[in-house]
Amino acid sequence: MAGSTSTQTGTAGRKALRAVVILLGVVVILALGLYGPATLVGPLPTATASVVDSTGEAPVSAAPVVPETGASAIVADVASAPFATGGLTEAVPIGGSAKVITALVVLDAKPLTAGDAGPAITVTAEDVAGYQKYTAESARTVAVAAGESWTQREMLQALLLGSSNNHADALARWAFGSVDAYLTAAARWLTDHGATDTTVVDTTGLDEDDVSTATDMARISAIAFSVPAIAEIMAAENARVTGNRSVDNLSGYAADEGYRGLSRSYTDQAGICFLFALDVPAAGATDGAGVTLYGAFLREPDWDTIDADLSALASSAASTLQQTPVVTEGQTFVTYTTPWGATVHGVASKTESRMLWVTSPLEYAVDATPLTTGNKGQQVGSVTVTTPDGDVTVLLELDQRIGDPGPLWRLTNPVPVISAFIDSRTAG
């Protein structure tokens, strides 16, 4: 009996051992069944993307010279911040420059295509009374007679070329019903266009409470020249309007230095005010290459001073303008480092240059695409550079291939691989 019991005990032990072996085998098989696919064919962990600091890559040049007397500013376009300012920064009287705002607000309500005459406008008794009043005050006017029919284009020619105060009021009343209604519309237009430091209390700028900053007025100059009807009108030396009246361009000034005048005026409180576009040729260029600046000089004390200031701006702008590479093909903007030690770079796919002044380090914003592997030349995002001439965007591409690390690394690095596998199952 004792031998029988011993035999039974040994059999039970062998059965228990066999059960453990089978259990372990099942665990191993299940583990291999999950771990193997997860590591060998599952997704890889994402490479770390490090953005390269590109500040200071583009060469910095001198800014064009603007006067410190009065208030001055120049911009490259409607949207860009001024890249040169001088003198007073607070709002100052703007004189006849206010008439440019009148034209813009009227055209916003009553658009006019370049070259078109526009609707007919009948001169009223109130328009005639305004003409007589401004004439008596020795303010600029263009004659009108009651009952005459003027086109909108002719009215704008008198306003912009001849700086006619009576036509400023007449246009405002025609477009909005009254000068007060125009002023409400003008306040809204100025806010909508970011000219928050500008206030107008009449259509003409004769009131000392018509004020603005040089920065606002430089942007308004850029806006005005971007309106085809205004640009076309201001390109003429004179115009013939109703009654065969001749209207000379009183804003034309310093054309031999590249200036296209938009408004040139004088009042005791505002001094000499000049809004303009300046066409700047590139230094040494023979193909007409260059850029256009838009500016405002306010509160200039006398004509000798503004003449010198305009010459200084034109000459300094031409001598410092240069073709500047803001992004160079092959320039590194992002470095990718993988968990298995591979390193590749996202580089600019092409060179982009701009004719401009770089007066401070350019700003680079990198949008890097996440990746695990990739081929040479594969697109991996973009870089956007903020310049005085607007934003420049260039695509980024890999400078070399980044491949799979292989089965050995996958099997011996379970934590990042399994984490990537779990992330892929839970994403979304």
Side-chain angles (χ1 to χ4, degrees), residues 31 36 42 68 126 145 157 175 237 305 312 334 337 355 414 420:
E68 291 299 324
E126 190 173 12
Q157 287 171 323
E237 293 184 2
T305 300
V334 60
T337 305
M355 195 73 71

Side-chain angles (χ1 to χ4, degrees), residues 100-138:
V100 174
I101 298 173
T102 302
L104 286 167
V105 176
V106 167
L107 283 169
D108 188 58
K110 305 284 188 180
L112 181 68
T113 303
D116 285 352
I121 303 171
T122 301
V123 176
T124 67
E126 190 173 12
D127 296 334
V128 174
Y131 162 65
Q132 294 170 340
K133 168 182 173 294
Y134 288 122
T135 300
E137 294 171 353
S138 298

Side-chain angles (χ1 to χ4, degrees), residues 142-168:
V142 173
V144 294
E148 284 183 334
S149 180
W150 289 61
T151 65
Q152 182 185 3
R153 178 183 174 82
E154 289 174 323
M155 284 275 189
L156 286 167
Q157 287 171 323
L159 171 66
L160 293 169
L161 296 178
S163 192
S164 173
N165 291 287
N166 54 297
H167 281 82

